[in-house]
């Protein structure tokens, strides 16, 4: 959308955005790495996501963002999520371009593979390679913003995305990313977040 929605001063949306920004800046490694902002249609969720993205982009701490939009051609296709975010990570996270480029050189069809293959090959493995080979410390609390998950086509795809992000955010991978996910209050997404595996 242009111009993108933004939070106005003194509004509840601005307060919520500031709370999320404070959460993402906190250094504690044990802190939850995923925040779900949910609410009915037209409750400023996209404005909050845009504001958070803008703040962290200015600080050099936005790893990537994806705004689902069922009214835009391809904007509701979850298959584009992780390849798009990986492209942004290659640009925004120091040292990641080389490792993501190597993954693409090894298999140029990765963007057409399943989202499970994409997140492993284009995000998780490159971060692990960077951690093991680079003397440059990874910047803490890089943020990925995913807006409008409910507008992603297919409930199964929505659930798969949540499961994959939860796995990425687990301590086992030690990936320095935090996720803001917004959506409407849909029962299937509620059920996925309430599941013990998330």
């Amino acid at each position: 959308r242009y111009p993108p929605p933004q939070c106005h001063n003194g509004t509840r949306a601005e307060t919520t955005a500031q709370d999320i920004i404070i959460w993402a800046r906190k250094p504690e490694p044990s802190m939850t790495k995923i925040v779900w902002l949910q609410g009915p249609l037209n409750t400023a969720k996209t404005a909050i996501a845009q504001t958070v993205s803008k703040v962290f982009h200015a600080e050099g701490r936005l790893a990537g963002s994806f705004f689902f939009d069922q009214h835009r051609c391809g904007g509701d296709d979850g298959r584009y999520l992780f390849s798009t975010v990986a492209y942004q990570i290659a640009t925004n996270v120091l040292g990641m371009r080389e490792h993501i480029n190597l993954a693409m050189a090894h298999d140029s069809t990765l963007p057409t593979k399943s989202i499970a293959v994409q997140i492993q090959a284009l995000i998780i493995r490159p971060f692990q390679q960077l951690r093991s080979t680079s003397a440059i410390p990874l910047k803490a609390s890089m943020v990925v913003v995913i807006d409008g998950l409910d507008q992603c086509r297919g409930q199964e795809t929505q659930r798969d995305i949540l499961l994959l992000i939860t796995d990425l955010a687990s301590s086992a991978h030690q990936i320095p990313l935090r996720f803001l996910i917004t959506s409407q209050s849909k029962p299937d997404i509620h059920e996925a977040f309430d599941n013990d595996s998330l």
Side-chain angles (χ1 to χ4, degrees):
R1 293 169 57 182
Y2 186 84
Q6 295 290 324
C7 298
H8 298 291
N9 292 337
T11 63
R12 183 176 179 180
E14 184 194 33
T15 300
T16 301
Q18 289 303 318
D19 287 344
I20 292 168
I21 290 165
I22 290 169
W23 158 78
R25 284 174 174 161
K26 287 185 177 178
E28 293 88 345
S30 61
M31 177 171 287
T32 178
K33 292 187 175 183
I34 302 171
V35 162
W36 176 39
L37 177 64
Q38 55 87 20
L41 187 66
N42 298 325
T43 51
K45 297 183 298 298
T46 296
I48 292 167
Q50 288 279 8
T51 297
V52 171
S53 297
K54 182 178 179 180
V55 167
F56 283 109
H57 182 266
E59 294 181 1
R61 295 170 65 179
L62 181 69
S65 62
F66 193 95
F67 290 75
F68 283 104
D69 184 353
Q70 60 190 8
H71 302 297
R72 188 182 74 245
C73 181
D76 63 348
D77 195 335
R79 294 175 300 176
Y80 299 143
L81 170 61
F82 294 125
S83 58
T84 300
V85 170
Y87 175 83
Q88 295 172 358
I89 287 172
T91 302
N92 297 332
V93 180
L94 184 66
M96 283 291 286
R97 182 189 300 272
E98 176 187 355
H99 298 289
I100 293 174
N101 283 348
L102 285 172
M104 285 297 300
H106 179 72
D107 185 354
S108 62
T109 68
L110 281 173
T112 69
K113 299 289 181 67
S114 71
I115 59 174
V117 169
Q118 288 182 38
I119 195 172
Q120 182 67 39
L122 292 173
I123 299 178
I124 293 176
R125 197 172 299 132
F127 264 113
Q128 292 171 335
Q129 291 167 341
L130 178 62
R131 182 179 294 278
S132 66
T133 61
S134 177
I136 302 171
L138 292 174
K139 188 176 290 187
S141 304
M142 297 290 285
V143 177
V144 175
V145 176
I146 300 172
D147 179 64
L149 181 62
D150 56 286
Q151 295 192 45
C152 173
R153 189 190 323 140
Q155 294 181 8
E156 185 175 350
T157 301
Q158 295 172 12
R159 179 175 176 79
D160 287 347
I161 287 170
L162 292 175
L163 287 169
L164 290 167
I165 289 174
T166 301
D167 176 67
L168 181 152
S170 70
S171 59
H173 293 303
Q174 297 184 324
I175 306 297
L177 295 177
R178 292 182 184 174
F179 291 83
L180 168 62
I181 301 173
T182 79
S183 76
Q184 289 189 51
S185 306
K186 295 296 181 70
D188 50 296
I189 298 179
H190 263 289
E191 182 180 351
F193 271 104
D194 289 339
N195 191 293
D196 290 341
S197 61
L198 288 181

